[in-house]
Amino acid sequence: MSGFTFPLLTVTAAVPAIGAIATAAVPAARRTAAKWLALAFSVATLALAAVVTGRFSPGGARYQLTESHAWIRDFGVRYELGVDGIAVVLILLTAVLVPFVMLAGWHDADPLEGPVPNRRWRPTNGFFALILAVEAMVVISFEATDVFLFYIFFEAMLVPMYFLIGGFGDRAGATGDDAEEQDARQRTYAAVKFLLYNLVGGLIMLAAVIGLYAVTARQLGTGTFSLPEILRARADGRLHFSTSSERWIFLGFFFAFAVKAPLWPLHTWLPNAMTEATAPVAVLITAVVDKVGTFAMLRYCLQLFPEASKWATPVIAVLAVIGILYGALLAVGQRDIKRLIAYASISHFGFIILGIFAMTSQAQSGATLYMVNHGISTAALLLVAGFLITRRGSRRIADFGGVQKVAPVLAGTFLIGGLATLSLPGLAPFVSEFLVLVGTFTRYPVLGILATVGIVLAALYVLVLYQRTMTGPVKAGIEGMKDLKVRELLVVAPLIALLLFLGVYPKPLTDVINPAVKDTLSDVHRTDPAPQINAVAKETAK
Amino acid sequence: MSATAVVHSLLTSAAATPAADRIPTPHIEYAQLSPVLIVLGTATVGVLAEAFLPRRSRYWAQLGITVVGLAAAFAAIIALAADGYATTRAHIAAMGAVAVDGPALFLQGTIVLIALVAAFTFAERRLDPVAHGNRVDSFAAQGSAVPGSPQEMKAVRAGFTTTEVFPLLLFAVGGMMIFPAANDLLTLFVSLEVFSLPLYLLCALARRRRLMSQEAAVKYFLLGAFSSAFLLFGIALLYGYAGTVAYTGTATAPGIAQVIDGSANLTPALANSTGNDALLLIGGAMVIMGLLFKVGAVPFHQWTPDVYQGAPTPVTGFMAAATKVAAFGALLRLLYVVLPGMRWDWRPVMWGVAIVTMVIGAIVAVTQTDVKRLLAYSSIAHAGFLLAGVIAVSPSGVSSVLFYLVAYSFVTLGGFAVVTLVRDAGGEATHLSKWAGLGRRSPLVAAVFAVFLLSFAGIPLTAGFAGKFAVFQAAAQAGAVPLVVIGVIASAIAAFFYIRVIVMMFFSEPQPDGPTVAIPSPLTSSAIAIGVVVTLVLGVAPQYFLDLAGKAGVFVR
């Protein structure tokens, strides 16, 4: 390749970053201007992400649109970007969700009205700038093909996320001084818990990153973090991990991703963070930021450490199934709407991780598809739940009842989001959940059966939630509830359309995902198990 | 023989000694020592200015003299480095007393720049409220006046300020510049005293909370004297072992390094005592102890929190940054030049010291409620991270420590400069509870302090991360993987308390009687701005500085 090529991936990450700075620079008083500016930048990012998707050819080279520049030579760090099919769909997911997150949170950082106006400090420009900063960092971590570059943004992402959780809490129940104090304390606790869990995970990964450098430096002469370079060196036989060092480094990486994803039993930060954050920020956590964890398992754990991944698979698969059942069971018992959705997410992350480590092509395609579908379905459900909570001023399920009589559109969209969460056939998550279960079953039948129980429980918690909040007699405090406004419909309608479309016709996504999954599996030297059915059929034929 | 006859015979025999046996006129390479000479010369000019200039013109004169002197010294260092003294022409000057090589010039340059920034914070006069029509800085009106006495009241009313701090700063800087360059144990000891004594004085000169400041100075002095004694005793034992105090030499005129590795031609008498490893081991251990005291490593760290808290904050910032740079430079030279042959003896010990320093520094910091004490314990934890790089005993170990020192020191200076801004009626409001809600009252100051804290915590894209990565990487390559793992865990603990401060600043309700943030003059503002710029530049694009540290990482032997 000669001459100047347009650095498309850099620009895609840089636009939201520049947007974050520009939005932060808007004077604090000009709240509306800051909002529109941020929204414009997020839409521009979406356009760029669409261009990236358009330029990506599914049958082509493994990493496309690559960029590579020297950065910190002494650390063997290069600024290397490149996308495979998995990264492309996740970048697209991020870029699609962020504008909706912003629209849904349009008034979340407005000054509070009420008995003590302006008691809490809520800089509007800061809120939107932080969302754009998170978007920029997530996008670049999907794009990075240098482990160190990825690590930097994987960690740095925590800072804006932390301020979003701790600085802009839910407005539910904040009446009176004491309640507000209580709320602020819980919110701070959630933000600190989020940060500490992820920071500890990240620092343990740092030790593993340094270990990776030490291994490559010893064997290749110069240390490198470049993923393609390491894969090439290992294919040539120039690089060989000893069993123990591969396992230790794998564990360091996996720990960080398992905290982020989150995998049971490292999940306890998620319910706190999602409950205390505003609904749009909760969407950002679970639908966007957490995807970096599962994505990194696919890209880094499996590709860099195939042997160790195979070694750890049984344990991880069992933990994932425990997560599916545990998350679902706890979701059934929740009294708080957002907490319920958080535990449902933990259950779904169990499915994604199970799909990744089942190491069959169906399961991994399903898991990747699930990352996208879970993002969209959770966003739909959570954002509608957010509208509901803002209207009532409470997150308690017991405070609701009969909403469908006063706000039918709201109730209807809530139901569709819920049905997507329980993987109703015809809606997008069904396809992915089905693929994961089928793919798992061929390798681990028992785990597959157990995971299926998670689906049954999902039907239980979603339908019971709907029944308690939406049906029945209209409760006190619900009577005057307004239905969805135009802005809110603009958020929900496209998400529901996407859920329906991908539920019926997931081919555009699977076409992009499948080649990447095949490459990943060939790195792990795993092929799909021979179909057992045939063997049985032969037996019976005799 | 009568007494006079003895004296007479001494005199005559001295005269009769052949020329070769006389003490030769020392051959001094003035040009190569010019950075140190400029700084010490400027300090002397400062003393003269103090003696002869009228009181009202002293402040500006002293500030000018200091800035010009430091800038000239920095220019001299750059000139020497450009002449190749850092690499190809590195050698040992002044009769084997002072090394002019990469690490020495790099650290001297760092120290001079630190001093320049520190001088800005020393000269800040807009933070304290105007006293009796005079603008005052953070130093006592008259150091000799007893706190609370009528004499002190008179001095305050007359608007006295202690402009002596500038020459004291310069003398300390001069000593610190020789410390990492010292190539024999006596020079090491003398330079240690040259920079320690002015620091003891500076610690005692706070304008507010004078008793606490004086207590800090006395503690620092007593413990410092104690450590000096250790160092001196160690030097004596090493001399007893090797018969020389020089670090290096030739086979015929050996230094300690040659005696240890057995390449020296020894006189029979000396050969007898070099067999005595006890002298070497105990002596070496004592010298290292003296240096670890200055570094602030556990278990020689007890002075740090009290002194950091009591000293005037600009002095604390200077001390925290520059002393660490100088002491780590001296420690590196001692371990890499004199005792590399003993590394199988000192490495296990230093492993232990590094581990307890990282862990105790981080854990104890969690319980602190005072910003300055918090930063003190954080500096202890950072000393532990630095020791992890020292232990590598490799070129990348040296360069990573040099890089870390630069990253750490400017962030530290900036951090303490921010501490001087947050004030209430009693002066600086250092209690952490007073910092609650600072992010709402003055978002910019809080954001800047948050950047420094994130850098201390080692969050990526800050200087602290690049430095931490460099030392851990060097340690891991040298096979110290358990040390890296412990370091990472200690970082996680440390991150907790940095983040707690950020939480207080941004997410807590401001107290109604909380402190105000003073508007500083361009002096402190520029000190803080330099800290922010260094934090971001070294975090995002560290390659140039890593190259510089890499090129400077070779000791002359």
Side-chain angles (χ1 to χ4, degrees):
Chain A
M1 213 186 291
S2 68
F4 177 78
T5 47
F6 183 69
L8 184 59
L9 293 184
T10 303
V11 173
T12 311
V15 164
I18 294 166
I21 296 166
T23 310
V26 174
R30 317 236 2 225
R31 293 173 185 271
T32 317
K35 291 175 187 178
W36 282 106
L37 187 66
L39 187 65
F41 271 102
S42 72
V43 171
T45 313
L46 174 58
L48 282 164
V51 174
V52 169
T53 316
R55 296 271 299 273
F56 182 84
S57 63
R62 180 161 188 183
Y63 295 110
Q64 299 181 20
L65 306 170
T66 51
E67 296 169 32
S68 180
H69 304 280
W71 183 21
I72 312 177
R73 221 175 329 106
D74 277 33
F75 298 164
V77 177
R78 296 183 65 78
Y79 177 79
E80 272 195 355
L81 303 180
V83 285
D84 57 4
I86 302 170
V88 164
V89 295
L90 289 173
I91 291 171
L92 199 59
L93 170 74
T94 308
V96 166
L97 287 182
V98 169
F100 294 124
V101 164
M102 283 185 182
L103 269 179
W106 202 248
H107 296 300
D108 278 6
D110 287 353
L112 287 181
E113 294 134 28
V116 268
N118 288 326
R119 176 77 192 285
R120 278 187 39 220
W121 184 59
R122 302 161 73 93
T124 308
N125 52 354
F127 183 72
F128 288 93
L130 288 171
I131 292 178
L132 281 173
V134 171
E135 182 180 22
M137 290 177 183
V138 169
V139 167
I140 203 161
S141 19
F142 286 140
E143 290 171 349
T145 53
D146 184 286
V147 180
F148 190 92
L149 186 68
F150 168 82
Y151 173 76
I152 282 184
F153 289 99
F154 182 76
E155 276 290 85
M157 197 187 299
L158 299 177
V159 177
M161 218 46 243
Y162 164 74
F163 282 103
L164 277 175
I165 299 170
F168 304 89
D170 217 333
R171 282 195 273 183
T175 45
D177 244 12
D178 282 351
E180 193 165 315
E181 184 104 334
Q182 180 84 13
D183 246 30
R185 205 171 308 131
Q186 281 182 6
R187 195 166 49 244
T188 308
Y189 171 78
V192 173
K193 192 171 176 182
F194 160 81
L195 189 65
L196 283 183
Y197 265 72
N198 285 284
L199 203 61
V200 169
L203 284 167
I204 287 176
M205 182 180 165
L206 176 62
V209 167
I210 294 170
L212 180 68
Y213 179 88
V215 171
T216 55
R218 199 175 311 139
Q219 298 191 15
L220 301 178
T222 53
T224 178
F225 286 116
S226 158
L227 186 62
E229 173 71 31
I230 292 174
L231 294 184
R232 220 175 300 130
R234 216 188 35 216
D236 298 352
R238 281 180 292 145
L239 184 66
H240 173 76
F241 290 93
S242 70
T243 307
S244 71
S245 67
E246 181 175 344
R247 284 179 184 177
W248 279 113
I249 298 174
F250 166 82
L251 286 177
F253 276 73
F254 185 77
F255 184 79
F257 303 149
V259 170
K260 182 80 98 185
L263 175 68
W264 186 89
L266 303 168
H267 64 281
T268 63
W269 62 270
L270 185 72
N272 290 80
M274 276 180 70
T275 313
E276 296 304 325
T278 63
V281 173
V283 170
L284 212 54
I285 298 172
T286 182
V288 176
V289 171
D290 285 355
K291 295 298 181 295
V292 182
T294 46
F295 164 79
M297 287 180 192
L298 261 176
R299 178 173 272 188
Y300 297 105
C301 284
L302 294 195
Q303 300 189 13
L304 285 174
F305 316 108
E307 295 308 315
S309 298
K310 275 190 265 184
W311 162 75
T313 293
V315 177
I316 294 172
V318 167
L319 290 180
V321 170
I322 295 177
I324 294 172
L325 298 177
Y326 177 88
L329 278 173
L330 261 69
V332 172
Q334 292 307 312
R335 291 182 196 148
D336 179 311
I337 297 176
K338 277 161 89 186
R339 240 184 144 71
L340 188 151
I341 299 173
Y343 279 107
S345 279
I346 290 170
S347 177
H348 292 146
F349 278 113
F351 274 109
I352 296 174
I353 296 170
L354 181 65
I356 292 172
F357 281 90
M359 303 211 194
T360 58
S361 57
Q362 283 160 323
Q364 276 192 1
S365 297
T368 312
L369 201 57
Y370 210 154
M371 288 188 219
V372 178
N373 293 336
H374 172 258
I376 302 171
S377 69
T378 310
L381 182 64
L382 250 177
L383 292 178
V384 179
F387 301 147
L388 189 68
I389 290 165
T390 317
R391 282 172 167 68
R392 175 68 179 81
S394 166
R395 293 193 298 256
R396 288 181 52 223
I397 294 173
D399 287 344
F400 294 91
V403 175
Q404 64 182 9
K405 295 200 181 76
V406 288
V409 180
L410 197 159
T413 49
F414 190 72
L415 182 63
I416 296 176
L419 292 177
T421 302
L422 67 77
S423 301
L424 187 77
L427 293 169
F430 169 72
V431 183
S432 37
E433 201 157 290
F434 184 74
L435 280 174
V436 168
L437 287 174
V438 170
T440 308
F441 194 81
T442 55
R443 202 179 292 280
Y444 303 110
V446 178
L447 292 181
I449 292 165
L450 284 174
T452 315
V453 177
I455 303 186
V456 179
L457 290 171
L460 187 64
Y461 60 72
V462 169
L463 293 177
V464 169
L465 172 69
Y466 184 80
Q467 187 194 3
R468 287 194 185 152
T469 52
M470 301 295 168
T471 62
V474 179
K475 279 216 175 150
I478 305 291
E479 301 93 353
M481 186 173 278
K482 295 202 177 62
D483 215 330
L484 290 186
K485 286 178 275 192
V486 176
R487 171 179 63 86
E488 294 166 333
L489 271 176
L490 268 179
V491 172
V492 179
L495 290 177
I496 288 177
L498 267 176
L499 283 176
L500 284 167
F501 176 74
L502 292 176
V504 181
Y505 190 63
K507 194 166 176 296
L509 282 185
T510 47
D511 279 352
V512 178
I513 292 169
N514 283 339
V517 165
K518 226 177 76 205
D519 284 340
T520 308
L521 277 177
S522 75
D523 281 335
V524 198
H525 313 295
R526 274 287 198 187
T527 47
D528 290 336
Q532 304 275 314
I533 306 295
N534 289 359
V536 177
K538 267 182 211 155
E539 288 286 310
T540 40
K542 278 177 196 168
Chain B
M1 217 191 292
S2 69
T4 41
V6 172
V7 172
H8 178 74
S9 76
L10 271 175
L11 284 174
T12 48
S13 64
T17 323
D21 282 4
R22 286 190 212 151
I23 296 175
T25 321
H27 174 69
I28 305 286
E29 295 88 338
Y30 290 101
Q32 291 162 32
L33 300 179
S34 58
V36 182
L37 296 177
I38 290 172
V39 169
L40 291 176
T42 316
T44 317
V45 173
V47 172
L48 292 175
E50 200 60 32
F52 293 111
L53 284 181
R55 197 180 280 280
R56 62 192 145 71
S57 52
R58 276 184 213 161
Y59 168 75
W60 287 109
Q62 289 288 16
L63 182 58
I65 291 169
T66 308
V67 169
V68 169
L70 289 171
F74 189 68
I77 293 167
I78 297 290
L80 284 177
D83 275 358
Y85 282 103
T87 48
T88 46
R89 292 171 71 187
H91 78 133
I92 295 164
M95 311 278 295
V98 176
V100 181
D101 60 2
L105 287 174
F106 187 93
L107 292 170
Q108 286 177 346
T110 310
I111 291 168
V112 168
L113 288 183
I114 292 170
L116 200 57
V117 176
F120 292 161
T121 60
F122 276 41
E124 176 62 56
R125 288 191 146 183
R126 291 222 192 133
L127 300 178
D128 248 294
V130 172
H132 305 284
N134 298 294
R135 288 197 178 281
V136 293
D137 49 27
S138 29
F139 297 98
Q142 197 172 26
S144 57
V146 177
S149 66
Q151 193 193 0
E152 190 199 26
M153 305 270 268
K154 234 170 81 186
V156 171
R157 205 165 295 131
F160 290 177
T161 52
T162 309
T163 41
E164 294 93 324
V165 292
F166 292 102
L168 286 172
L169 171 75
L170 287 174
F171 278 120
V173 170
M176 285 171 180
M177 289 167 75
I178 308 173
F179 201 48
N183 201 51
D184 69 40
L185 290 169
L186 278 184
T187 314
L188 182 81
F189 178 72
V190 171
S191 56
L192 173 82
E193 293 304 315
V194 169
F195 82 72
S196 293
L197 291 172
L199 281 183
Y200 300 147
L201 272 178
L202 285 170
C203 282
L205 285 177
R207 173 168 285 268
R208 292 161 180 272
R209 305 200 190 110
R210 288 195 60 197
L211 286 177
M212 208 169 129
S213 163
Q214 294 183 352
E215 182 191 325
V218 171
K219 275 183 184 160
Y220 192 20
F221 172 71
L222 286 179
L223 288 171
F226 202 52
S227 82
S228 295
F230 267 109
L231 187 76
L232 203 51
F233 198 10
I235 291 172
L237 292 178
L238 282 183
Y239 180 76
Y241 166 76
T244 172
V245 289
Y247 281 9
T248 54
T250 57
T252 45
I256 302 171
Q258 279 77 26
V259 178
I260 290 174
D261 65 24
S263 64
N265 300 331
L266 297 172
T267 57
L270 202 52
N272 212 11
S273 81
T274 54
N276 192 348
D277 273 353
L279 286 179
L280 172 62
L281 290 174
I282 299 173
M286 286 182 138
V287 172
I288 291 173
M289 268 156 75
L291 294 178
L292 286 178
F293 175 87
K294 286 291 164 197
V295 160
V298 176
F300 313 105
H301 66 289
Q302 266 90 355
W303 59 276
T304 321
D306 287 346
V307 175
Y308 277 28
Q309 189 187 11
T313 307
V315 176
T316 311
F318 170 68
M319 203 162 61
T323 312
K324 203 147 271 182
V325 175
F328 263 104
L331 188 65
L332 277 176
R333 191 177 294 278
L334 186 77
L335 294 179
Y336 282 50
V337 174
V338 186
L339 302 174
M342 301 293 295
R343 64 172 167 276
W344 299 111
D345 295 295
W346 62 255
R347 269 186 82 174
V349 180
M350 296 299 272
W351 264 66
V353 172
I355 288 172
V356 293
T357 306
M358 290 189 282
V359 171
I360 290 184
I363 290 177
V364 180
V366 172
T367 63
Q368 298 307 310
T369 54
D370 184 284
V371 179
K372 284 167 85 177
R373 283 184 90 83
L374 179 88
L375 292 180
Y377 278 104
S378 121
S379 89
I380 294 171
H382 282 283
F385 299 140
L386 278 158
L387 284 173
V390 172
I391 285 164
V393 201
S394 62
S396 68
V398 181
S399 60
S400 70
V401 170
L402 295 183
F403 179 82
Y404 198 116
L405 285 170
V406 175
Y408 167 79
S409 49
F410 286 95
V411 178
T412 304
L413 277 174
F416 278 107
V418 172
V419 172
T420 62
L421 300 185
V422 182
R423 311 178 77 90
D424 59 14
E428 286 158 14
T430 56
H431 198 274
L432 267 182
S433 65
K434 303 220 168 132
W435 285 56
L438 191 73
R440 246 161 273 183
R441 208 172 288 123
S442 44
L444 186 64
V445 171
V448 165
F449 198 61
V451 168
F452 292 145
L453 289 173
L454 291 176
S455 179
F456 281 137
I459 300 286
L461 300 178
T462 62
F465 174 73
K468 203 171 270 182
F469 190 85
V471 291
F472 284 166
Q473 181 204 48
Q477 279 188 284
V481 175
L483 203 62
V484 173
V485 172
I486 293 171
V488 162
I489 293 169
S491 307
I493 301 171
F496 172 73
F497 61 77
Y498 298 124
I499 281 153
R500 211 182 45 160
V501 178
I502 298 180
V503 170
M504 295 217 68
M505 291 195 303
F506 284 99
F507 298 155
S508 305
E509 292 295 329
Q511 291 180 338
D513 57 340
T516 54
V517 173
I519 308 297
S521 69
L523 291 166
T524 300
S525 307
S526 54
I528 295 172
I530 290 169
V532 173
V533 169
V534 171
T535 307
L536 296 181
V537 169
L538 262 57
V540 175
Q543 185 56 49
Y544 175 76
F545 299 92
L546 285 167
D547 278 346
L548 204 63
K551 269 188 247 161
V554 182
F555 287 102
V556 66
R557 281 165 214 280

